[in-house]
Every structure is written in structure tokens, then in C-alpha cells.
Amino acid sequence: MRCRVCGKKAVYKELGFCSEHFSSYFEKNVADVLNKPFFKEKSLLLAVSGGKDSSAMMFAVSKILSEKRLDFNIKRIESLYINLGIKDNSSYNENLVKQLSEKTGIKLNTINLEEFYNLTIDDLSQKTGKICSSCAVIKRYLLNKFAYENGFDFVLIGHNLDDELFFAIHNLVNRNIDFLVRSAKILPKDEEKRLAGRVKPLYYLTEKESMLYCIINKIPFSTQGCPYAVKNLQMTEKSKQSVLFDSRNKKLSFIKSINKLKKFYPLKKEDNVEPCIRCGFPTTSKICKFCRIIEKAKEN
Ligand code: SF4
Ligand code: ZN
Ligand code: ZN
């Protein structure tokens, strides 16, 4: 098969692109998400984990900015890695994101869970069966806290089209329509609630495409995966999902249809959101989930 743009050998057969035109396609999709006037002169924080998605995102964003492909300037861009204290995994990934930071020239910040909170995901996994849900709360909380306290307007996450598809199906099956409607490509900043905005630059790109982009561009990324991922519902559901949604177009069409339907469902205002009595960040109960996890870990 030949590239549909230049006629060279295609490396991405699904859409018919050679390596050069596949990279252009990938970067265009990322740039299209970011080329919105409300990002003008804003400070952006890239959430990096060492995995293929966030690594591909960081590399593509750095390229887009260095080649001035947006219609405006952004104020500042940095990255954040959270060392979760997972044996044989977290330090290895930290080393990879350091290499990526050197390659892209984007400053890397790190938070070490053990140093800051005397807690590791390994310790926590001994005490709780649902480690991934606690881990997700920790990551989301720390990303927002770091962004808010350091003046970043938006956190950019490596959430891709397959992730969006999983969340859409999962929320439909569980009748969590409010969650489904709230999930968006771009969530605005809410200064009053101490919430940085959230952006998904890989919203239109699949996992397979992130992987290929990393390989083509020699981007350092981890292939070993988290040891807790086998217990992760998302991993098992995604492999079943890929049978029904066996092309990028089917995935995209489904998400676009869901987004059209979302417009007919009024977004309920979250009236019961209040500052956590321990840390001041928003919560729907008196003490936020993050503070509860930290307190529980200290008790044992
Ligand atoms: Fe955390 Fe689970 Fe992801 Fe591992 S697989 S990083 S424990 S959410
Ligand atoms: Zn080509
Ligand atoms: Zn709290």
C-alpha cells in the first residue's frame, strides 16, 4: 500500500500514510484541539507518565509550539510527573520522562508520593482491593493541586479516543448520564472552585496511533505497563471493545454521535460542591477523597 499524499510506502495502512504524513496527521489532530482562542497567552501543564500516550502528546505539543503552528502564543508550558512508588515501574518511568524533557526542552516537575505524603501505591495496594480507583483519585488531585498552586490554567492529559470510548460505554451501561455529559475534550478553568481546566489533545487519536507516533519519532516511552493494570477494569473492557469498534472511523463516529446527543441533556449544576475542610480543594463530601485516602493510610 502507498501513502495517499506522496505515494511512498505506507506505514499506517488504516488511513494510508507514510511515516512523514502519519506524523503530520497526528500533529494536526493535536493542533486542532489546541488552536482555540481561549488558550492564547495561557499557561499549560502536560501530565506525563512515561506511557505512550502522554509521551506522544508531549512530543507533538512541543513540535507544534516550536514550529509556531498555533495562531497565537501561549504563555508557558511545563510538564509534571507523579512518582507513585510502584516498584520497578515508577523510577524507570521517571527516567524516561527525564529523557523526553531533554529531547523536547520542556521543563519537567516531579512529585514523589513517598517524599510528600509518606505513601506509595505499593503500600496502598496492600490495604485496598481497588487500587486503581484510589490511584486515579491521587493523580487527578495532585495534577490539579500542582497546576492551581503554580499558576497553570490548563492541565493537558494523554486521554485518547479509546479512553473516551471506554468511558462513554461504561457510563451508558451504568446509567451514569451526568458523568457522560460532563466528560469533554476541554473543561474550562474554575477559579472559584480552585479547579484548573483540563484538555485532551489526543481526543481524536487512538492508542495504536500514539504507539506508532512514538516509534516513528523515536520518543522514549515505557512498554512494561503498570503491574496493577491486570486488575484494571478498563484494560479488560477495552480489549472486548476493540472487537466491535475495529476501526478508528467507527470509534470516532460513535463519540461524535454521543457528543450530538449530549446537547439534548441538560448539564446539572453541582450545587453540593464545597471546599474540603482539610485541604480546601472542591469536594461533594466534607472531606475530599484524596484527604480520606491519606488519613486512612496513616491509620493503618
Ligand atoms: Fe494507577 Fe492502576 Fe494505572 Fe497502575 S494501572 S498507574 S495502579 S491507575
Ligand atoms: Zn507520504
Ligand atoms: Zn481534601
Side-chain angles (χ1 to χ4, degrees), residues 82-95:
I82 301 169
N83 186 316
L84 298 164
I86 299 173
K87 195 170 174 280
D88 299 331
N89 183 288
S90 296
S91 302
Y92 175 76
N93 285 6
E94 186 170 340
N95 190 33

Side-chain angles (χ1 to χ4, degrees), residues 26 63 135 162-163 197 199 203 256 290:
F26 191 95
K63 218 168 146 203
C135 181
D162 292 278
D163 297 322
V199 189
Y203 193 84
K256 285 189 173 171
F290 178 82

Side-chain angles (χ1 to χ4, degrees), residues 29-30 33-34 57 61 156-157 199-205:
N29 273 282
V30 173
V33 174
L34 296 177
M57 169 182 75
V61 170
L156 275 59
I157 56 171
V199 189
K200 300 169 182 170
L202 308 183
Y203 193 84
Y204 298 116
L205 294 156

Side-chain angles (χ1 to χ4, degrees), residues 67-259:
E67 292 173 5
K68 300 200 181 313
R69 287 198 226 162
L70 300 184
D71 299 337
F72 46 80
N73 287 328
I74 58 142
K75 190 174 172 189
R76 179 170 58 132
I77 185 147
E78 292 182 18
S79 61
L80 175 67
Y81 176 73
I82 301 169
N83 186 316
L84 298 164
I86 299 173
K87 195 170 174 280
D88 299 331
N89 183 288
S90 296
S91 302
Y92 175 76
N93 285 6
E94 186 170 340
N95 190 33
L96 289 172
V97 293
K98 275 184 191 157
Q99 291 173 33
L100 184 56
S101 161
E102 281 164 24
K103 196 173 163 84
T104 57
I106 294 179
K107 183 184 168 189
L108 176 68
N109 302 280
T110 53
I111 294 176
N112 188 308
L113 207 53
E114 190 164 23
E115 277 172 27
F116 279 71
Y117 297 97
N118 198 21
L119 176 75
T120 67
I121 290 296
D122 283 342
D123 292 341
L124 206 59
S125 74
Q126 310 284 324
K127 295 165 192 160
T128 167
K130 291 183 194 161
I131 189 59
C132 287
S133 49
S134 300
C135 181
V137 168
I138 291 170
K139 287 189 287 192
R140 196 181 171 98
Y141 177 92
L142 291 177
L143 275 170
N144 181 60
K145 181 174 156 66
F146 184 91
Y148 180 81
E149 290 176 347
N150 292 281
F152 290 97
D153 300 289
F154 290 94
V155 175
L156 275 59
I157 56 171
H159 185 104
N160 60 39
L161 184 59
D162 292 278
D163 297 322
E164 196 62 20
L165 185 66
F166 165 78
F167 282 112
I169 296 172
H170 184 72
N171 284 324
L172 282 172
V173 169
N174 291 292
R175 288 189 274 168
N176 291 331
I177 308 295
D178 289 337
F179 278 150
L180 176 76
V181 175
R182 229 169 261 132
S183 165
K185 189 169 55 189
I186 299 168
L187 285 175
K189 182 179 176 177
D190 190 332
E191 191 72 52
E192 207 183 310
K193 286 185 186 161
R194 304 175 90 193
L195 282 174
R198 273 170 93 82
V199 189
K200 300 169 182 170
L202 308 183
Y203 193 84
Y204 298 116
L205 294 156
T206 64
E207 281 185 3
K208 199 168 100 185
E209 291 171 332
S210 292
M211 172 78 87
L212 185 58
Y213 185 74
C214 285
I215 294 168
I216 288 173
N217 292 287
K218 298 187 174 52
I219 300 166
F221 74 100
S222 171
T223 49
Q224 65 178 213
C226 173
Y228 301 107
V230 276
K231 296 180 194 164
N232 188 326
L233 168 81
Q234 202 179 135
M235 301 285 283
T236 40
E237 289 300 314
K238 269 187 187 166
S239 61
K240 291 181 205 160
Q241 223 170 260
S242 62
V243 179
L244 187 60
F245 296 92
D246 57 355
S247 71
R248 174 186 184 261
N249 278 348
K250 283 187 196 168
K251 293 172 188 177
L252 201 56
S253 296
F254 185 83
I255 291 301
K256 285 189 173 171
S257 301
I258 291 284
N259 287 346

Side-chain angles (χ1 to χ4, degrees), residues 141 276-281 287-291:
Y141 177 92
C276 164
I277 58 168
R278 297 274 190 276
C279 70
F281 280 93
I287 302 174
C288 77
K289 282 184 188 163
F290 178 82
C291 289

